[in-house]
Amino acid sequence: MKNSISTTNRLNVSITKKVIELQEQGYDCDFLLLANGSLLCMQTNLNYPLSTVAINQREHGYDFLSHSYKNVHTIETGNGERGVLLTEKIF
């Protein structure tokens, strides 16, 4: 049981550490992938079509809370917003 908890914490910490690291680098917005395929900035409530933003995959790990693999992406918009997108899909 102890090994299972240790592995769980290590993998979840990997994703969390990457998000914190990116926030410290100025990626301070949180993005949500909408059903229509656009991105929503949670801080400004602005929508961005995927074709208008730069997306880079930064981290990949298993999330034991959702029991799925997650990908941490950085998002950069044309108007200077920079943020993080956490999703199961790889862009």
Side-chain angles (χ1 to χ4, degrees):
M1 181 70 171
K2 188 174 184 177
N3 285 342
S4 175
I5 292 171
S6 176
T7 302
T8 302
N9 288 338
R10 183 171 47 245
L11 290 173
N12 285 336
V13 166
S14 170
I15 295 171
T16 304
K17 281 179 66 175
K18 180 52 79 173
V19 170
I20 291 169
E21 176 186 313
L22 291 168
Q23 288 173 338
E24 289 172 350
Q25 294 174 13
Y27 292 93
D28 52 356
C29 292
D30 300 304
F31 286 88
L32 177 65
L33 180 61
L34 301 176
N36 67 4
S38 65
L39 293 172
L40 172 67
C41 177
M42 303 295 282
Q43 283 72 21
T44 63
N45 205 34
L46 293 175
N47 285 315
Y48 297 95
L50 289 176
S51 61
T52 65
V53 299
I55 303 174
N56 292 303
Q57 197 244 359
R58 297 295 185 100
E59 184 77 21
H60 175 77
Y62 190 76
D63 179 14
F64 283 90
L65 298 175
S66 66
H67 302 288
S68 63
Y69 284 94
K70 297 289 185 181
N71 296 282
V72 179
H73 298 85
T74 55
I75 306 294
E76 295 188 31
T77 69
N79 66 354
E81 288 182 345
R82 294 173 15 138
V84 176
L85 170 67
L86 187 65
T87 182
E88 294 177 11
K89 185 176 181 177
I90 296 176
F91 288 94

